[in-house]
């Protein structure tokens, strides 16, 4: 009995010592004062998410600062490309904090796998997201865009850009990666409405210090997640039974058929389900947010808009864009890159630090979370002249080369970087070229366009309303 008591006291003492040491080591780093239990959670809530919080703290505390999310969750933000360039390639995992925000994707989601576990999966999936495979994206995208733009042509009262773009990018990623049934069956439609409902609630839920198990809405949300996953399972089941399975070369058929070297299926059903949910999440809102911000920038910079239209008219001469055309739209590409710099849809990326880092006077302990403050790096006056001005030319081939590595990271970096970067760049240019070919855009009057983080994505807080003005056919046929 005495021995058990001593053992319990020893364990408790050790835990207490670890806690005090962890707090002590963390607090040696510069950073704002924090509450013992809540850390800095309450003050972060007063900002528009990390998008505001990180630059403001970096300004006050320098290139490296720490904050606490709760009593023990130590987060370190590093706004220094040299340290990031040395460290990020070695970090392979997302931290627990990411699970809190994105746990609803499913525990088998590729985003929670470390690079080693993901290597084979990445190698299998990547060919579908690059090169000639993007022809199919263009084919699907053109069809969905024509439908959207025909509706714009009969919308005299302006467009809620973020809503319509979100609908279209959802359809495009859904059909391209998972097949026509994604939009044409009642199952696909249920998946979509559940997806939006679950995602909407995921963000406020992730801000709770402990899960609100006493609140019936929490359980209703959990139930919706289960239904969402059942829908994804049903999509898998239907595709398995479909006679067309072997002919299709989309992500879903790959998830169902790919075998490893031992001729075992590469993806279990649970992995396939979580991969579907993850790719839809990673791909549709990010692309819609980018397009929304780029349209906002073009509506407020008419010279750039005209220049992009001239380029599009010259290359397309009134016909729909093909994959090869997009590569030759160099000014439009600069516009997209500059848009992603000023309003990166994912303004920061997280990593679990799994070794001690000693850099000059700073010691960052193993187990802390690293924030790569993408939006702060993009606005750093040391690397960008007039960082708050919209200057697409800074990405032309002559200037872009001079930019330091790790000063521009819209798709993250290292082994956990975005898998869909090329897919996204193709989709955004395709959609933009089709919009600007048929319409000019203007900002609708009297609106406050304020960036705010919603979930992990930067959105205009009150939405974005634009007026679309049809262009004359003879202007497009240069
Ligand atoms: C403009 C659009 C997009 C932006 C700005 C964007 C940005 C990002 C960023 C910043 C990350 C985290 C990277 C890191 O931690 O270093 C990420 C992860 C990811 N993205 Fe994208 N993304 C976009 C579109 C897409 C699309 C279209 C797809 C799929 C077709 C996609 C698939 C993924 C996946 C699967 C991950 C998780 C990778 C992992 O955890 O290993 N993304 N994205």
């Amino acid at each position: 009995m005495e021995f058990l008591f001593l053992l319990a006291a020893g364990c408790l003492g050790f835990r207490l010592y670890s806690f005090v040491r962890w707090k002590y080591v963390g607090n040696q780093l510069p950073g704002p004062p924090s509450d013992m239990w809540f850390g800095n959670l309450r003050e972060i809530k007063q900002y528009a998410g990390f998008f505001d919080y990180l630059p403001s703290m970096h300004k006050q505390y320098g290139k490296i600062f720490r904050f606490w999310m709760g009593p023990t969750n130590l987060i370190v933000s590093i706004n220094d490309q040299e340290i990031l360039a040395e460290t990020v390639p070695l970090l392979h995992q997302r931290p627990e904090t990411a699970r809190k925000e994105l746990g609803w994707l499913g525990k088998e989601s590729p985003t929670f796998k470390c690079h080693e576990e993901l290597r084979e999966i990445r190698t299998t999936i990547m060919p579908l997201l690059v090169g000639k495979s993007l022809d199919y994206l263009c084919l699907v995208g053109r069809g969905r865009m024509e439908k959207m733009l025909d509706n714009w042509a009969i919308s005299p009262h302006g467009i809620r850009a973020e809503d319509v773009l979100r609908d279209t990018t959802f359809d495009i990623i859904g059909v391209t990666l998972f097949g026509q049934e994604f939009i044409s069956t009642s199952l696909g439609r249920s998946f979509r409405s559940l997806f939006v409902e679950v995602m909407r609630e995921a963000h406020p839920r992730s801000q709770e210090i402990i899960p609100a198990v006493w609140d019936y809405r929490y359980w209703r949300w959990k139930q919706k997640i289960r239904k969402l996953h059942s829908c994804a399972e049903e999509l898998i089941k239907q595709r398995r039974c479909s006679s067309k399975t072997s002919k299709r070369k989309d992500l879903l058929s790959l998830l169902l058929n790919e075998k490893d070297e031992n001729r075992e299926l590469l993806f279990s059903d649970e992995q396939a389900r979580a991969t579907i949910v993850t790719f839809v999440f990673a791909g549709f809102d990010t692309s819609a947010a980018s397009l929304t911000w780029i349209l906002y920038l073009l509506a407020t910079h008419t010279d750039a808009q005209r220049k992009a239209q001239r380029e599009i008219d010259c290359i397309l001469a009134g016909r729909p864009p093909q994959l090869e055309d997009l590569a030759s739209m160099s000014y439009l590409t600069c516009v997209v890159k500059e848009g992603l710099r000023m309003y990166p849809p994912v303004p920061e990326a997280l990593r679990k630090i799994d070794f001690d880092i000693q850099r000059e006077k700073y010691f960052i302990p193993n187990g802390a979370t690293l924030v790569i403050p993408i939006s702060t790096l993009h606005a750093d006056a040391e690397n960008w002249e007039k960082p708050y001005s919209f200057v697409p030319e800074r990405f032309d081939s002559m200037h872009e080369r001079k930019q330091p590595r790790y000063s521009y990271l819209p798709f993250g970096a290292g082994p956990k970087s975005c898998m869909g970067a090329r897919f996204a760049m193709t989709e955004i240019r395709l959609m933009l070229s089709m919009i600007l070919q048929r319409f000019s855009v203007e900002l609708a009057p009297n609106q406050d366009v304020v960036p705010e983080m919603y979930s992990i994505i930067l959105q205009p807080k009150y939405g974005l309303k634009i007026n679309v003005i049809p262009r004359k056919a003879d202007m497009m046929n240069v």
Side-chain angles (χ1 to χ4, degrees), residues 452-472:
E452 187 186 51
M453 291 270 298
Y454 193 80
S455 176
I456 58 166
I457 295 172
L458 191 68
Q459 318 259 8
K461 183 172 180 181
Y462 309 110
L464 176 73
K465 197 167 176 196
I466 50 166
N467 294 331
V468 289
I469 302 113
R471 296 178 67 211
K472 293 199 182 77

Side-chain angles (χ1 to χ4, degrees), residues 88 92 94 109-115 118 122 125 129 173 177 251 275 278-291 336 340 343-351 372 374 409-425 427-428 456:
V88 173
H92 296 244
R94 302 245 176 256
S109 163
T111 207
F112 302 133
K113 303 260 176 225
C114 72
H115 182 56
L118 207 58
R122 265 193 183 242
I125 292 176
L129 304 174
I173 195 149
L177 298 183
L251 181 58
T275 306
T278 303
F279 269 79
V280 174
F281 173 73
F284 96 100
D285 224 5
T286 45
S287 304
S290 326
L291 277 155
V336 173
L340 292 173
Y343 295 100
V346 184
E348 76 271 324
L350 302 180
R351 293 288 183 285
I372 308 168
I374 297 174
L409 304 173
F411 296 103
K416 293 294 286 172
S417 63
C418 176
M419 291 195 217
R422 286 198 212 157
F423 184 101
M425 284 301 285
E427 183 186 17
I428 294 169
I456 58 166

Side-chain angles (χ1 to χ4, degrees), residues 161 165 289-302 305 342-343 390 432 441-444 447-451 460 463-466:
L165 291 169
S290 326
L291 277 155
T292 305
W293 288 116
I294 295 166
L295 285 181
Y296 166 67
L297 288 165
L298 289 174
T300 47
H301 296 84
T302 37
Q305 185 176 163
M342 292 186 75
Y343 295 100
F390 177 63
L432 260 186
V441 292
E442 264 177 9
L443 206 58
Q447 51 176 330
D448 229 0
V449 182
V450 185
L464 176 73
K465 197 167 176 196
I466 50 166

Side-chain angles (χ1 to χ4, degrees), residues 237-341:
K237 216 187 277 169
Q238 285 191 0
R239 179 62 79 83
R240 276 227 165 91
C241 300
S242 156
S243 54
K244 295 178 202 153
T245 306
S246 58
K247 287 185 216 133
R248 295 249 182 97
K249 272 275 179 270
D250 59 14
L251 181 58
L252 186 52
S253 66
L254 203 120
L255 294 176
L256 300 187
N257 298 318
E258 202 61 20
K259 306 227 165 83
D260 62 16
E261 69 259 27
N262 304 321
R263 308 214 51 75
E264 302 279 340
L265 278 177
L266 186 58
F267 296 88
S268 67
D269 274 7
E270 203 182 343
Q271 279 173 327
R273 185 188 76 191
T275 306
I276 295 176
V277 180
T278 303
F279 269 79
V280 174
F281 173 73
F284 96 100
D285 224 5
T286 45
S287 304
S290 326
L291 277 155
T292 305
W293 288 116
I294 295 166
L295 285 181
Y296 166 67
L297 288 165
L298 289 174
T300 47
H301 296 84
T302 37
D303 288 354
Q305 185 176 163
R306 301 282 166 270
K307 195 168 167 186
Q309 280 171 326
R310 277 197 299 277
E311 181 183 71
I312 293 163
D313 295 345
C314 197
I315 293 171
L316 298 181
R319 63 178 171 77
Q322 308 291 320
L323 182 61
E324 305 73 59
D325 297 320
L326 303 176
S328 40
M329 294 181 183
S330 49
Y331 186 69
L332 191 75
T333 305
C334 293
V335 166
V336 173
K337 288 184 177 173
E338 177 68 342
L340 292 173
R341 183 190 70 81

